[in-house]
Amino acid sequence: MTTNEKQLTRRYLIWCYKTTKEELDKVDRYFTQLPVDDFILKKLKSFKEYKGVKGQTAYRKKVDDFSLYMGKKEMNILKKKFLNSTKATFHPEYQYLKNRFFAIEKSIIHFFGPKELTKIRQLYEEEMTRRILEAREHT
């Protein structure tokens, strides 16, 4: 392979990695958010503003709304990852993305070696973190 062909191949594999990983992460990130949300909810409910107050307060309503949001989020995401409620079989789209991502990682190793896969993973994580930190609220 010429130097130019190597560069083009590397960029293509980076593009494949990025786009496929983003699609997988759209589903998987919710499953990592669920235990975090549950922990946060328990903490929110442990404060005196929630526990010791009779009736509906603005704080209690916010916490209860967060709890409802969590339930809806879980129900929506289960449909995208699993074929049915038993969670025994992945949804075909999700299975395809998992297998595609595996094949892309193996392709990177085949063409450029395991160190390059490590570099590409690092680049991806840095980019995703940068996007989060630079995100601005639209007001």
Side-chain angles (χ1 to χ4, degrees):
M1 240 192 296
T2 68
T3 300
N4 187 51
E5 289 171 334
K6 282 183 181 181
Q7 289 171 338
L8 291 171
T9 301
R10 182 178 182 271
R11 277 191 305 211
Y12 176 64
L13 285 167
I14 290 171
W15 178 83
C16 289
Y17 183 97
K18 176 196 167 288
T19 55
T20 305
K21 181 83 166 113
E22 283 177 335
E23 288 301 309
L24 264 177
D25 283 356
K26 282 180 186 178
V27 175
D28 288 341
R29 71 178 176 225
Y30 288 102
F31 286 91
T32 61
Q33 291 171 8
L34 293 173
V36 174
D37 287 348
D38 189 52
F39 184 86
I40 291 169
L41 180 64
K42 286 176 184 169
K43 289 295 175 193
L44 290 170
K45 286 182 174 185
S46 74
F47 292 109
K48 67 179 181 192
E49 293 84 356
Y50 189 88
K51 290 193 314 188
V53 179
K54 301 279 188 216
Q56 188 73 341
T57 65
Y59 178 84
R60 187 180 196 94
K61 179 163 180 13
K62 286 268 193 200
V63 173
D64 291 344
D65 287 348
F66 180 62
S67 181
L68 289 172
Y69 161 78
M70 287 172 51
K72 289 177 186 173
K73 179 165 61 168
E74 184 173 11
M75 292 307 298
N76 287 336
I77 202 59
L78 285 171
K79 294 177 205 170
K80 291 186 179 191
K81 188 169 185 173
F82 299 104
L83 202 52
N84 55 43
S85 61
T86 65
K87 299 181 191 176
T89 306
F90 286 131
H91 190 285
E93 178 67 20
Y94 182 79
Q95 186 65 62
Y96 169 77
L97 286 171
K98 280 184 68 68
N99 290 348
R100 177 177 165 80
F101 188 68
F102 178 80
I104 291 166
E105 287 191 320
K106 292 300 179 193
S107 297
I108 293 167
I109 292 168
H110 172 77
F111 286 99
F112 297 101
K115 286 183 182 178
E116 188 62 25
L117 176 58
T118 301
K119 286 181 194 175
I120 291 171
R121 284 176 176 160
Q122 182 69 31
L123 285 170
Y124 178 83
E125 288 305 315
E126 288 171 3
E127 173 63 15
M128 294 302 110
T129 302
R130 184 193 62 75
R131 286 185 192 182
I132 291 166
L133 295 174
E134 291 181 356
R136 303 283 187 263
E137 289 291 324
H138 297 289
T139 56

